[in-house]
Amino acid sequence: MKLSKILLGICFVIVGQFFSSCSLDETPYTSLPMSDYFQTPENFGFYLDGVYSQMCVDRTWGGAAIACMLYDDDDTQAGRSYRPGIDGFYNFTTRAADTWKGFFNIVQQANMFLYELSEKGHEILSPEIHDRYKGEALFLRAYAYLELARRFGGLPYRDGPYLDGISSPDCARIPQTEVYKNVAKDFLEASTLLPTSYNTGYTSTDRGRPTRQAAWGMYMRTNLHLAGAEGYGSLSKTPDAAKAEQCYRNVIEAGDSILKYANTIDFPALEKNYMAPFDTKNQNNCNEILFSAQLLTNFAGRGVEIAFTCCPPGSDLCGSADNGGGEVTLRWDFIGKKFYKNDKRIEWGVALVDSFYNNKSNEKRWYYIYNPYIFPNSGEQSGTIPTQYTCTSTTSEDTWQKNYATPNVPQQDETGYGFDKNINLKNSITGDATRRATPKIYSMKYTDPEATGKQMNGCDIILLRYADVLLMYAEAQCELNNISAGIEYLDKIRNRAGIPLIENIYPGIDQYDLRDSIRLERRRELYLEFNRRWDLVRWGEFSTTMTNAKRPRYTWQDLYPIPVEEISANGLINSNNPGW
């Protein structure tokens, strides 16, 4: 879909920057009535491209969707601007409200497109394009509702567009499980309409649009939510073992369909190199990526700041004009205690770095100093780093000190959290003191050396990878006690990472231990890919895990608050989510 970027500029005018739930500004900004706009095949295509464009604006994956989750993760460390809930209470309610508006905007636009498609599409479009467009719009609507349901629970659900003067502005919420079931239905219908590759039904320039396999993958994800603590799982408010089992069977059935194409047409497929899907030069030809929010890098200010946020100050990897912000890093007790030493997913200089030396900066290593539960002030992060934590070389080739950067990783998988180091520091505020400290470990997943500014980076936000599909498939097999199948597909991920295979090191593993191994592997494989929070929620472990990680949460914080504007304007929503 990269070639569509030029057309998307037109779509911003036609489709407009409106958002829509049930009562929040339902009117699309357009210079033409909708009935007059949908008169040509080109305009149908332009409008649909405009819906895609909303996947990466500030209220979705261009800002708010990222900001709400970067620190709501037990494996990240973050600066003040990305620290929601350090005392157990969120201070990012505004950004949470933005995601409500942003994803409901996609719902409204997809619904409008589907309405006009049903009214005029058969007359204007060829049958093949009509069906494909319908599949794409159903997929986008389902995806937006999936993100909303995960964040807010029950929703005011519309399966048709809000029409000014016709539709009621009031709409009651339906339960979260009902939203998930509607989402699953849309993904399943989309799977019957979408092409199976970018060689059949699509062209190579359509990368970024969902395939049949992407719809099945999202269907798998939705069913795992239904099978867990939000739906029918043993930890839910209304457990139903039979329904949970059916959801796992749905995951396996969809996974079997994906595996069939993986084995016959090599799409999707695992890349040999773990970091390959994050290479901006490779993403548009990467068969591991099933769906992503693509960035509009040729429009000033239309990209996202994730590269800037995740890259060290002084680096060239997020845009030469802005260097890096270095706000979000990975925790030492995650990298140092949860991975094998030779795991390719934490290879230094390839997947991770801890500092940079280049012609812009003679920066030494950046780090956090803190006491448990106490947020460090700026002075506590500006002390002199002791000799053993300082890289003495300032050449561009020597970008990290390996005897420091390589953690002492146990040779066996472990559970539980490690502890940060106690180091002696001289600090302008505290003087000589022993303080708890952790180095800043930066991920290279969202880097782009060719970017010219912090909102011009070209690394897409990957929302579904084939690796995730294999892990979901392994998880469902495990939950149905199909141990050998669970091991087989888990080991495909471990094999690429270069770590020991379960079949070799854990002969006779039982369901309980295999479940733990799969959950740990999801944590390692998908770090910083916006899955961890939702995995913990569906496993019923979010509040406990975050509290153990010294980021205390309560169970009611599994959900975000409904925006106060919605409650005020929607006559059929009279209260917020519990606890808010």
Side-chain angles (χ1 to χ4, degrees), residues 12 18 47 73 137 191 268 505 531:
F12 291 135
F18 67 96
Y47 194 101
D73 184 327
S191 74
I505 62 173
N531 286 284

Side-chain angles (χ1 to χ4, degrees), residues 356-368:
F356 289 81
Y357 290 87
N358 54 39
N359 58 6
K360 293 183 183 180
S361 171
N362 61 355
E363 170 207 349
K364 297 297 189 292
R365 194 158 281 108
W366 292 72
Y367 63 101
Y368 289 104

Side-chain angles (χ1 to χ4, degrees), residues 293-364:
Q294 292 202 334
L295 308 188
L296 308 181
T297 56
N298 60 348
F299 289 142
R302 300 306 306 185
V304 300
E305 291 193 26
I306 190 167
F308 173 80
T309 299
C310 293
C311 286
S315 71
D316 283 321
L317 299 183
C318 65
S320 58
D322 295 275
N323 300 309
E327 284 283 345
V328 176
T329 59
L330 293 164
R331 283 174 60 126
W332 178 263
D333 53 4
F334 171 51
I335 299 300
K337 295 294 185 182
K338 297 301 178 185
F339 287 86
Y340 287 88
K341 185 175 182 178
N342 64 339
D343 196 316
K344 296 176 183 177
R345 295 169 295 193
I346 56 167
E347 184 177 354
W348 291 93
V350 176
L352 303 176
V353 290
D354 62 347
S355 64
F356 289 81
Y357 290 87
N358 54 39
N359 58 6
K360 293 183 183 180
S361 171
N362 61 355
E363 170 207 349
K364 297 297 189 292

